[in-house]
Amino acid sequence: MVFALVALIAVLVAWAVTSGGGGSGKGSSAPSGSRSPAATITAGPAPSGTHISGRPGGRDTAPADGGAGSSGGTGGGSDAGSDAGAGDGTSAGTSAGTTTGTSTGSSAGATDGTSAGTSGGAGAGTGSGGDQVPVGSTLPNCAPGTVTLSLTSAQNAYAPGENPVFQLHAANSGSVTCKLDFGPRSAVFTVTKTPDDSHVWATDDCPGNASPYLLQVPAHGTTTYTLRWNGRTSSPHCAAPKGAQAAPGNYLAQAQLPGFGAKSVPFVLTQD
């Protein structure tokens, strides 16, 4: 009985294992609620148009060199803008300001301003081109025994509206180049009316700028200082009367430098 019972239990266990194993395998390979994959995937037709490889959000009309366009925008806008602003704005501005403002101002001041006669521009003089030397130049001062002066008028007579022009020539007979001061306080030009010798105008009456105006006189050469008078009167120490138009008549222009004596030339202011 015992062996029969053991045999029966063994048969039952074997049957249970055999029937449970099949269900267990099926359950473990496909969990409850899962879908079975499709047996076959059919590929769609191959695209025939141009493949767009642009990133999402990019323009669908961007050219192949779209990167260059973006870069050009940044480079052109930022770099060129900064460079143009800094280069042209600062450099050109500073250079133009320094070169044009300082150079032109100094040149005008040294040439016309320094040699100007009375206030209001009654007289202004300039030297021969390239003959001006700076104050403090090491050139020796011209000596009266070596350098001689002469004064001429551009015309013998001047019609109304014409400005008389006088030229003071310095001739150097020596072998050494020297310098002369033609500033308004050193080279004094005067205009007097004849025959009464009444004062009409002078460079030292009311000079706007009394700074020295030095010109070199080359060895065995000549330098010319040209003075233009606008035909208006002045009085010593900027006193009145001044600024009146000189009347028609006979006049005498005179130039005098210390140690060189006075040089004069007559001229006429004509009537209408």
Side-chain angles (χ1 to χ4, degrees):
M1 289 290 290
V2 173
F3 286 109
L5 184 58
V6 170
L8 179 58
I9 292 172
V11 171
L12 290 175
V13 170
W15 178 81
V17 170
T18 302
S19 63
S24 169
K26 188 179 291 186
S28 61
S29 62
S32 175
S34 65
R35 297 181 181 178
S36 299
T40 305
I41 297 177
T42 304
S48 59
T50 303
H51 179 61
I52 300 175
S53 59
R55 294 178 296 177
R59 296 181 180 178
D60 53 2
T61 59
D65 57 349
S70 172
S71 171
T74 303
S78 177
D79 293 346
S82 300
D83 291 344
D88 295 341
T90 303
S91 173
T94 303
S95 176
T98 303
T99 305
T100 304
T102 304
S103 164
T104 303
S106 300
S107 174
T111 303
D112 289 331
T114 304
S115 59
T118 63
S119 60
T126 56
S128 304
D131 287 338
Q132 186 179 359
V133 295
V135 176
S137 169
T138 57
L139 284 177
N141 294 323
C142 294
T146 306
V147 174
T148 57
L149 302 180
S150 61
L151 182 66
T152 60
S153 176
Q155 300 173 195
N156 292 327
Y158 298 90
E162 288 185 317
N163 293 337
V165 177
F166 312 113
Q167 293 179 322
L168 182 59
H169 311 279
N172 186 358
S173 60
S175 58
V176 177
T177 298
C178 58
K179 66 178 185 291
L180 264 180
D181 183 7
F182 291 89
R185 291 196 183 278
S186 178
V188 178
F189 286 77
T190 60
V191 173
T192 56
K193 197 171 188 310
T194 58
D196 59 353
D197 198 30
S198 58
H199 180 90
V200 177
W201 171 81
T203 56
D204 62 347
D205 277 348
C206 190
N209 188 334
S211 301
Y213 185 73
L214 304 178
L215 295 179
Q216 63 174 331
V217 184
H220 305 293
T222 301
T223 290
T224 300
Y225 177 81
T226 302
L227 180 80
R228 292 170 176 82
W229 175 48
N230 69 359
R232 296 191 175 274
T233 64
S234 67
S235 296
H237 310 295
C238 300
K242 62 180 178 178
Q245 186 66 46
N250 297 323
Y251 290 85
L252 185 71
Q254 188 176 80
Q256 186 170 5
L257 273 75
F260 290 87
K263 306 300 176 182
S264 60
V265 61
F267 68 97
V268 178
L269 296 181
T270 62
Q271 294 181 342
D272 291 336

